[in-house]
Every structure is written in structure tokens, then in C-alpha cells.
Amino acid sequence: MLVPAYEPNEALQTLIEELLALATGNPAFAGILVVNDGSVEPEALQIFDNLRTLGGVRVIEHAVNAGKGAALKTGFSYLYENQTDVDFIVTADADGQHAPFDVMRLAERAIATGNPNIGCRHFSQGVPWRSRFGNWMTARVFRLTTGQSLRDTQSGLRTYRRVDLPQMLRIQATRYDYEFHCLFHLAKRIEVPLQQVPIETIYEPGNPTSHFNPLLDSVRIYAVLLRYVSVSALSALLDFLLFSLLTTLDMSIGPALVAARIGSMPLYFYGMRNVVFRSKGRQLYQVAGTLMLMAVHVAFLWMFISYLKVAFGIHPVVAMLLGASTFYVGTFMVQKYVIYRAPSKPAG
């Protein structure tokens, strides 16, 4: 089990002690790793000292606060290198929002099914507004971009397969957005269904122990999508203007599409590589992949626009807007996970 912690209160020690008592003799339990993410408050440091005295608990530290994602990656790297006999890692938050029984239940469920899972809370009226709204928004973004529906995308209670850890360590995010990117990785692996397990919803009044910043951390979570929307909208505008101009000059649909796409291609590629995905992968590979994707896109639009024009008399410019919207989400997924994916590197 892995718990990232930054300036924790007594809830962390209570969680660990109750888990140790509950896990005695349970084959699903192989110890607890706590990552101190640069805490400096005396009360928090005392809690970490107390945890070090407990059997079955190991505490490792960041010299400075680096973010929840960084703490999780530090833990993943340590477990991947030092616990080779463990097939699944359970992650839980340090703020007392996860019941020990639910933690053990997820571990046992993962072992029984062989699949990763996520603990899903019920967002009722007693849940803080920032948590309800944040989860509502991320759940819809997740469904839009992956096609999969999750009730709780922000739950920190999850199980990860050991075989997936190298991919998790390649994710560049280091704060709360890291866990959202992990879900993207699991969702795109069709052979690894992500199981949803109902868990108890626990919140202190006002959720004071959470270090989640509703504005800054939400921006980080949606940053890639926001950059994608901005760059693709600018490129699409140039593409649309060129296509409109060329069709106004009586150029046929196919040549006009090709010419417009060639004209907007430099702006599109530069924006996707350097602004949206900030990729350092092989440029030649990415150019070839983008060209192939755009060729498929143009072929699709050509057929789509021609069909709407002949069958319904829809103006080519309007039909182009409809077709481009239809292809939008699929284009994002291909670029994120195929063309501009993070380069491979060893775990740790």
C-alpha cells in the first residue's frame, strides 16, 4: 500500500494503525509505504516519527514539497524496484477520507479479478461543493475523451497493477492532475477494464485537510485539453478560411480540402508538438504520424461533405464544420496516445 502525505494530521496515523490491525494475517497485505512530500510542520513530522516505530510501515521523504503526483511516482518507483513479489499497489489519501475496510476490500478485489480498480464515492449533499463540482466536471471530460464513464474520477483510493507502473512513471504531471492522467492511461488500454467499487464517503466539515486548490489544480487537470482546444481552434479557423476562399473561387471540394489543410498544417503541427503536448519525441515520426492522420481526416471530410451536399443540399462550408466536429475527440486521442506520446524510459 502507498500513501502520499503532505502536512498530515492525526487522521493519517489513525488510518495506518487501523489498517495494520485489520490486515494481520491477510495475504492481500504486504506492508505500507508512506511518502512524506516535504512536510515541515512539527506536528506532521511527529506523526511520521510515530509511523516509523510501527512494524510493517516504511517512511521515505522528499526534501521539499513536490506535489502529490511526484510523491506517488516516488512511491511507485520504490515499490517497483524493491517489492518484486507484489502484483498490485493500493494507493490511499492521508486525510482520513478512506475507511480501512474499503482499502482492504479494494486490495482483495484486485487480487481476485486481476484488474485495477477505483473506489467510487457517493456525492451527496454533505460533500463540499468544490469536490462535487470538480468531480462532476472531470467525470464528463473523462467520458468525452475516453468513451468510458466513471462516477468518481478524483478518488485517491485505487489499485494499480505492477506491470503498469513503468507507464505511470512516464507521465510528466507531478501534482493533482497526475492521477487524472493515470486514469487516461488505464482507460486507453482496452484489455484492462477499470473496475468501479462503491466505498464509504467520508468528509470532515469543510474538508480542511485537503490541499487541493479548486482553481489552480483544476486548471492543471484540464490544461492539455484547454491547450488542445485553443490550438486546434486557431488551426481550424485558418483551415476554414482557406477552404471557404477556395470553394468561393469554384475549386472543387477535394482539392480545396487538401490545399486548405496544407496551408494550415505548419501552424497545426507546431502548436500540437510544442504547445499542447510539449513533446520531445522523434520529430520525423511525429511529422509522418500527423500527415497520416490528416490524410485520413481529409478523406473522411471529403466523403462527409460530398454526401451532405448531394443528399441534403447542405453548403460545403457548413458540412465541413459538422464533419470536423465529428472527428474532433478521436483526433485528440490519436495524437495524445500515439503521435505525441511520452518517450519510453526505464522505471525509476
Side-chain angles (χ1 to χ4, degrees), residues 5-9 95 130 176 207-214 217:
Y6 175 61
E7 305 295 4
N9 60 18
D95 54 8
R130 65 180 183 179
Y176 281 93
N207 198 16
T209 56
S210 175
H211 299 286
F212 181 84
N213 184 300
D217 289 306

Side-chain angles (χ1 to χ4, degrees), residues 269 273 281-291:
F269 178 75
R273 176 180 167 84
R282 293 173 295 167
Q283 185 167 336
L284 183 60
Y285 166 84
Q286 293 172 348
V287 169
T290 303
L291 287 173

Side-chain angles (χ1 to χ4, degrees), residues 115-132:
N115 293 323
N117 51 47
I118 181 170
C120 293
R121 299 160 293 181
H122 177 68
F123 286 84
S124 61
Q125 194 65 32
V127 176
W129 71 268
R130 65 180 183 179
S131 298
R132 293 204 308 271

Side-chain angles (χ1 to χ4, degrees), residues 151-170:
R151 295 193 306 275
D152 186 358
T153 59
Q154 295 185 339
S155 173
L157 182 53
R158 310 177 182 190
T159 58
Y160 294 92
R161 303 188 311 173
R162 172 182 164 80
V163 296
D164 292 319
L165 294 188
Q167 286 290 337
M168 301 303 169
L169 290 167
R170 294 180 188 124

Side-chain angles (χ1 to χ4, degrees), residues 1-37:
M1 178 180 168
L2 170 61
V3 183
Y6 175 61
E7 305 295 4
N9 60 18
E10 294 82 2
L12 172 60
Q13 186 169 337
T14 300
L15 170 67
I16 299 299
E17 291 174 343
E18 291 181 357
L19 275 172
L20 291 173
L22 190 63
T24 302
N26 192 321
F29 178 80
I32 300 174
L33 176 66
V34 179
V35 179
N36 172 11
D37 185 28

Side-chain angles (χ1 to χ4, degrees), residues 23-236:
T24 302
N26 192 321
F29 178 80
I32 300 174
L33 176 66
V34 179
V35 179
N36 172 11
D37 185 28
S39 302
V40 296
E41 295 296 330
E43 295 82 359
L45 297 178
Q46 182 60 56
I47 289 172
F48 290 119
D49 287 341
N50 295 342
L51 294 179
R52 290 186 180 93
T53 67
L54 302 176
V57 179
R58 183 177 184 86
V59 178
I60 59 179
E61 298 182 340
H62 284 169
V64 296
N65 177 244
K68 185 181 182 183
L72 285 169
K73 287 196 283 187
T74 294
F76 285 153
S77 180
Y78 178 89
L79 294 171
Y80 188 81
E81 294 174 357
N82 295 281
Q83 289 195 238
T84 57
D85 58 334
V86 174
D87 295 324
F88 287 91
I89 290 90
V90 182
T91 65
D93 293 338
D95 54 8
Q97 292 188 18
H98 301 139
F101 174 79
D102 285 330
V103 175
M104 295 304 301
R105 192 158 58 93
L106 258 73
E108 293 167 350
R109 175 77 172 268
I111 292 173
T113 64
N115 293 323
N117 51 47
I118 181 170
C120 293
R121 299 160 293 181
H122 177 68
F123 286 84
S124 61
Q125 194 65 32
V127 176
W129 71 268
R130 65 180 183 179
S131 298
R132 293 204 308 271
F133 177 78
N135 191 75
W136 178 85
M137 180 64 71
T138 53
R140 276 147 185 79
V141 171
F142 188 79
R143 183 173 184 178
L144 175 66
T145 53
T146 67
Q148 294 192 28
S149 178
L150 285 181
R151 295 193 306 275
D152 186 358
T153 59
Q154 295 185 339
S155 173
L157 182 53
R158 310 177 182 190
T159 58
Y160 294 92
R161 303 188 311 173
R162 172 182 164 80
V163 296
D164 292 319
L165 294 188
Q167 286 290 337
M168 301 303 169
L169 290 167
R170 294 180 188 124
I171 296 173
Q172 296 179 0
T174 60
R175 297 192 179 274
Y176 281 93
D177 52 331
Y178 174 76
E179 291 179 295
F180 194 64
H181 286 284
C182 288
L183 288 182
F184 269 112
H185 167 74
L186 294 173
K188 74 185 182 70
R189 295 174 61 99
I190 299 175
E191 75 278 13
V192 183
L194 187 61
Q195 305 293 315
Q196 302 184 68
V197 181
I199 62 173
E200 184 179 356
T201 305
I202 304 173
Y203 276 101
E204 296 181 58
N207 198 16
T209 56
S210 175
H211 299 286
F212 181 84
N213 184 300
L215 178 59
L216 295 180
D217 289 306
S218 294
V219 168
R220 290 189 184 103
I221 289 173
Y222 308 130
V224 173
L225 293 173
L226 292 173
R227 295 197 302 265
Y228 177 70
V229 169
S230 300
V231 170
S232 57
L234 185 60
S235 302

Side-chain angles (χ1 to χ4, degrees), residues 295-313:
V296 172
H297 195 178
V298 168
F300 167 81
L301 284 177
W302 192 345
M303 291 185 292
F304 188 83
I305 294 170
S306 299
Y307 172 75
L308 291 184
K309 180 181 178 181
V310 172
F312 303 102

